[in-house]
Amino acid sequence: MRMALLAAVLLAGPAAAQEVRFSPAATDACVAQAAAPEAKRGCLGLAAQQCMGATSGGSTTIGMMDCLDQERDYWDARLNAAYKVLRAKAKASDADLAEWGSSAPRTEPALKQMQRAWIAYRDTTCEFERAQWGGGSGGGPAVLSCLMRLTGEQALYLESAWLGE
């Protein structure tokens, strides 16, 4: 029994040491303090960098990928929230235009088309970044860094459109 307990503790040690310590607090604070959209873009990657420094093994390929992926998830959630708000606003605006008999271009279909084109752009751009590593171990962090950065930029863009900045 003692040996089984010792083995469990020893095996859990490396797993616990690799626990990712991601927090978006620094990024949230940075974005909140930034007045201009350009300054907000400077916040991209901040939480991932702090995660890499706070996580045992955060400077390893796997550690970097975990931290970058979690910040990508953070920006993806912000992007989806902003897109949902913009889409609702666009539908309401388009309904008003239709009610007035306006022939102005509709916003909601343009928003949807723009977002679909952006997804294709993001994916192909990040695959290009991965390809530059020639199959090396840096390709994983490179593609996740790209996905995080481009997703963050798009989230900030949609949020600024939502807020009318």
Side-chain angles (χ1 to χ4, degrees), residues 36-122:
E38 304 84 47
K40 290 179 182 183
R41 282 194 298 276
C43 303
L44 299 172
L46 183 60
Q49 288 296 322
Q50 287 189 349
C51 172
M52 288 177 215
T55 300
S56 174
S59 61
T60 66
T61 301
I62 297 297
M64 288 187 286
M65 289 175 62
D66 284 345
C67 293
L68 289 165
D69 197 37
Q70 288 199 47
E71 185 166 346
R72 184 203 52 81
D73 286 345
Y74 163 82
W75 285 112
D76 192 55
R78 285 183 66 149
L79 181 148
N80 288 324
Y83 180 76
K84 184 177 181 180
V85 169
L86 272 175
R87 196 151 177 224
K89 283 181 151 187
K91 283 182 178 183
S93 175
D94 290 349
D96 287 344
L97 289 174
E99 185 178 313
W100 298 330
S102 173
S103 62
R106 299 305 190 245
T107 306
E108 196 269 337
L111 172 65
K112 187 186 275 187
Q113 183 178 11
M114 180 266 307
Q115 192 63 11
R116 286 181 177 166
W118 172 80
I119 290 168
Y121 165 78
R122 176 202 63 195

Side-chain angles (χ1 to χ4, degrees), residues 72 75-76 79-80 114-130 142-154:
R72 184 203 52 81
W75 285 112
D76 192 55
L79 181 148
N80 288 324
M114 180 266 307
Q115 192 63 11
R116 286 181 177 166
W118 172 80
I119 290 168
Y121 165 78
R122 176 202 63 195
D123 292 348
T124 55
T125 299
C126 295
E127 278 306 311
F128 172 70
E129 289 204 19
R130 179 194 308 263
V143 76
L144 286 171
S145 179
C146 177
L147 290 168
M148 181 273 303
R149 185 184 75 252
L150 293 180
T151 302
E153 288 172 357
Q154 186 70 357

